[in-house]
Amino acid sequence: MASNSVDNISQFEQHSSTFLVVGGGIAGVTCAETLAIYHPEESITLITESTVIKTIANLEPVARYVYKFDVKERSLKDKCQASLAPTIVTIVDRLKNIEALDHCVTTENGRRIYYKSICLCTGAAPNLVLGNNPRVIGIRDTDSVLALQEFLKHAKKVTLLGNGGIASELAYELHGIEVHWVVKDNHIASTFVDPGAAHFFQESVRLKRSEHSKADKEKTQSTSIVKRLRYKEIQLEELCKESSKVHGAALGPDWHRNFTLTGNALSTTDLPIIHYKSYIKEIIKENEKMVVTLTNDERIECDFLISATGVEPRHNYSCSIPLSMASDGGIAVNDMMETNVLDIYAAGDVCTAMWEHGDHWFQMRLWTQARQMGCMAGRSMGAKLTNEVIYQDFCFELFGHVTQLFGYPVVLLGRYNGQGLGTDYELLIRSTAGKEYIKFVLQNGRLRGAILIGNTELAETCENLILNKIDLTPYGDDILNPDIDIEDYFD
Ligand code: FAD
């Protein structure tokens, strides 16, 4: 059944709701859905700036506590598509101010909405390098990818800045354009992987590319169009109609498959030219071109620059009682997703987890955690209403993230890059070019984290080994011996 749509309540100047959720990204939608499951008798309002919301589909366990899922865009204009729980009322509007003592918000379009508790899920915005330069673009939401497509139409050369997931995907997804990839580290994709895994990816991509004939390349292009149809839930025209001032939810996994990302250069190697350990020193305009000078004084003459250098939590509204902020600019929340202000909660990219973290968990602004936090906030708001005591979800005991990088399935578990372990750990690695890369992070003989690339089928075993703190010392290096099935060993 469709939820109450925008139109039903557009004439309301004043509205009241037990629960108010702000933001139609994964965190906000999950929070509202969780509230609807636990409290179907209560009113729930979801305010969001864009008519496109994000929902989760095809949730599939990869291990006991780690899931993979698809992120679908849904239009609130299409009642069948939106398909939120029937008790959720949606309003397309922008939160402007929170009157914390009165338990009331005002919106950009002059609505006043009263609440018993509110959850802020307003996401994050790209942290743009030289954001006031019209030739610098950041990738965050569908609108920004449409802007990228426009730039690509006339471009032959681009500079790509950043070394996280977005830059790593773009570096190999852009075709028909010379890509100069500027990374601050001595290896690519440093947010997610170590130099060994980066080498594995580069070799694999190189092998695949060299195997492709020209005809294969054409086939690849048509394959991506098939994928594009599968993923294109919302007509691009509809997205274009939305005001450029409106920020949609952050893109989800596989976002680049929805779009053709081809430049205007006739022949390129299609492999990025990587500038390691470099930063941008200066950008100037020279005859219709952009000239980027790097810290090693190298000059790149290009048509535009893509800045993919992380995000900043987005709280573009005021609150009558100042909300406490963490040092990274996120709204500080405790283990129940509560802020310092009574009955105001926050979840997803906008917040910073200030509770004492478990041994195997840390915060990263990812859709996995947006979903987990949205769910936790919903449970917590509901429990407060009924004076129930609840505990934090078990998912916060173990960092787990499932993604795709360079076409390979990737599972990251625990302190997969030795995060927070200083130098007091050792690594065990097994790598087969083009097939798999497995890295175990061991501390005092115990598994503290793992990177699993390829179809390793080891996620659940690793999850158990990490959570149960099993001493692996007796097994020595055999733990990654390809002739030993460690799944059988520990089941
Ligand atoms: P968002 O999805 O940003 O949603 C925020 C919502 O709040 C939006 O609907 C917005 O319209 C609304 N809003 C903002 N301000 C207001 C206001 N004042 N009033 C009303 N509404 C408002 N993560 C992964 O795990 N894997 C990936 O592969 C991955 N790839 C990514 C690729 C790209 C290009 C980007 C940009 C991000 C990627 N991420 C990825 C990160 C992931 O998308 C985010 O961590 C996640 O979507 C955050 O969800 P959220 O609900 O907190 O915020």
Side-chain angles (χ1 to χ4, degrees):
M1 206 194 303
S3 59
N4 288 324
S5 77
V6 191
D7 304 336
N8 296 353
I9 46 116
S10 56
Q11 67 272 40
F12 285 17
E13 286 273 290
Q14 200 158 302
H15 176 76
S16 76
S17 184
T18 308
F19 302 115
L20 179 59
V21 181
V22 188
I26 295 170
V29 171
T30 309
C31 177
E33 291 277 23
T34 306
L35 285 164
I37 292 169
Y38 284 95
H39 294 277
E41 72 292 351
E42 298 293 343
S43 51
I44 304 160
T45 301
L46 176 70
I47 318 182
T48 186
E49 214 178 355
S50 149
T51 55
V52 177
I53 58 163
K54 292 267 151 85
T55 58
I56 279 163
N58 307 326
L59 191 69
E60 210 184 293
V62 171
R64 232 174 334 150
Y65 304 105
V66 182
Y67 290 83
K68 69 173 182 185
F69 52 83
D70 295 335
V71 177
K72 302 268 177 193
E73 289 187 333
R74 310 271 183 216
S75 169
L76 288 173
K77 289 182 187 156
D78 182 336
K79 289 180 189 165
C80 301
Q81 254 203 11
S83 68
L84 294 176
T87 48
I88 302 173
V89 168
T90 51
I91 300 178
V92 178
D93 205 342
R94 183 183 290 185
L95 172 67
K96 204 169 140 196
N97 179 45
I98 309 170
E99 284 298 332
L101 292 176
D102 295 345
H103 282 60
C104 158
V105 300
T106 47
T107 68
E108 198 81 10
N109 292 333
R111 290 185 172 95
R112 268 180 96 71
I113 305 172
Y114 288 86
Y115 61 82
K116 283 193 181 154
S117 60
I118 181 173
C119 187
L120 303 171
C121 306
T122 47
N127 184 5
L128 280 195
V129 168
L130 300 159
N132 51 0
N133 187 321
R135 284 169 185 254
V136 174
I137 62 164
I139 304 297
R140 175 73 195 160
D141 49 21
T142 312
D143 290 331
S144 56
V145 185
L146 295 177
L148 169 64
Q149 281 185 312
E150 272 310 303
F151 271 103
L152 283 170
K153 273 185 199 162
H154 313 285
K156 292 188 167 51
K157 214 192 250 193
V158 62
T159 302
L160 171 63
L161 179 68
N163 205 9
I166 299 170
S168 306
E169 282 174 321
L170 268 178
Y172 293 89
E173 291 298 332
L174 292 172
H175 300 284
I177 188 160
E178 191 175 304
V179 179
H180 286 261
W181 187 9
V182 179
V183 299
K184 65 180 182 351
D185 311 279
N186 56 8
H187 70 277
I188 62 161
S190 65
T191 309
F192 290 124
V193 296
D194 59 356
H199 179 73
F200 167 86
F201 283 136
Q202 279 173 298
E203 277 304 290
S204 307
V205 172
R206 205 181 49 77
L207 277 173
K208 273 189 202 163
R209 294 272 162 101
S210 62
E211 279 163 13
H212 277 184
S213 65
K214 205 171 172 228
D216 283 340
K217 269 191 188 167
E218 278 160 22
K219 203 169 126 209
T220 313
Q221 274 168 2
S222 65
T223 316
S224 57
I225 289 166
V226 173
K227 283 177 184 153
R228 175 181 171 173
L229 290 177
R230 204 182 99 207
Y231 283 96
K232 202 173 90 168
E233 305 263 331
I234 306 276
Q235 292 302 309
L236 292 182
E237 299 74 40
E238 183 183 326
L239 290 162
C240 296
K241 274 190 222 145
E242 289 212 332
S243 148
S244 58
K245 281 201 296 187
V246 172
H247 295 263
L251 293 156
D254 279 344
W255 61 276
H256 43 82
R257 300 227 165 88
N258 298 347
F259 303 91
T260 306
L261 298 175
T262 305
N264 195 25
L266 288 178
S267 65
T268 64
T269 60
D270 265 1
L271 280 178
I273 297 158
I274 306 173
H275 303 265
Y276 292 105
K277 290 191 125 183
S278 301
Y279 293 90
I280 289 181
K281 194 159 88 181
E282 188 189 47
I283 297 181
I284 53 166
K285 197 178 156 203
E286 226 174 70
N287 313 315
E288 291 318 300
K289 291 277 176 199
M290 182 179 215
V291 179
V292 176
T293 310
L294 304 183
T295 35
N296 58 6
D297 288 330
E298 225 176 308
R299 275 163 56 94
I300 307 166
E301 195 181 273
C302 59
D303 297 288
F304 68 106
L305 182 141
I306 305 171
S307 167
T309 44
V311 292
E312 279 173 4
R314 201 156 73 96
H315 25 76
N316 49 359
Y317 35 83
S318 53
C319 182
S320 59
I321 302 175
L323 292 162
S324 287
M325 298 292 162
S327 55
D328 66 354
I331 300 174
V333 291
N334 65 14
D335 58 342
M336 291 291 122
M337 310 310 296
E338 292 168 309
T339 69
N340 61 310
V341 182
L342 185 69
D343 297 327
I344 302 186
Y345 298 70
D349 278 8
V350 76
C351 78
T352 302
M354 295 300 281
W355 64 83
E356 199 178 320
H357 300 169
D359 279 351
H360 315 297
W361 191 87
F362 54 93
Q363 183 178 10
M364 256 179 119
R365 289 188 164 86
L366 297 167
W367 46 259
T368 322
Q369 293 193 0
R371 173 178 165 265
Q372 294 169 338
M373 288 178 169
C375 182
M376 186 66 229
R379 281 184 57 224
S380 175
M381 289 160 84
K384 178 91 180 286
L385 185 80
T386 50
N387 287 323
E388 248 179 280
V389 175
I390 58 162
Y391 298 97
Q392 197 182 39
D393 285 341
F394 195 80
C395 62
F396 296 102
E397 289 297 313
L398 175 72
F399 175 92
H401 183 56
V402 183
T403 188
Q404 286 255 339
L405 278 174
F406 307 101
Y408 286 87
V410 177
V411 180
L412 306 173
L413 290 172
R415 300 189 178 268
Y416 63 87
N417 257 347
Q419 292 94 337
L421 302 182
T423 50
D424 176 28
Y425 63 85
E426 48 182 1
L427 303 177
L428 267 186
I429 291 169
R430 182 171 100 200
S431 178
T432 315
K435 186 171 173 256
E436 62 173 22
Y437 178 90
I438 301 170
K439 180 180 92 172
F440 280 9
V441 178
L442 295 155
Q443 191 180 42
N444 301 326
R446 267 96 181 155
L447 188 64
R448 298 298 314 272
I451 296 181
L452 309 173
I453 301 171
N455 294 313
T456 66
E457 313 267 321
L458 285 178
E460 193 161 351
T461 307
C462 289
E463 185 186 63
N464 285 334
L465 293 176
I466 295 172
L467 288 171
N468 298 331
K469 300 184 178 170
I470 293 169
D471 185 3
L472 299 173
T473 320
Y475 308 99
D477 291 357
D478 268 353
I479 197 80
L480 279 186
N481 181 339
D483 299 326
I484 293 177
D485 189 346
I486 64 167
E487 241 186 306
D488 281 355
Y489 237 63
F490 294 102
D491 269 354

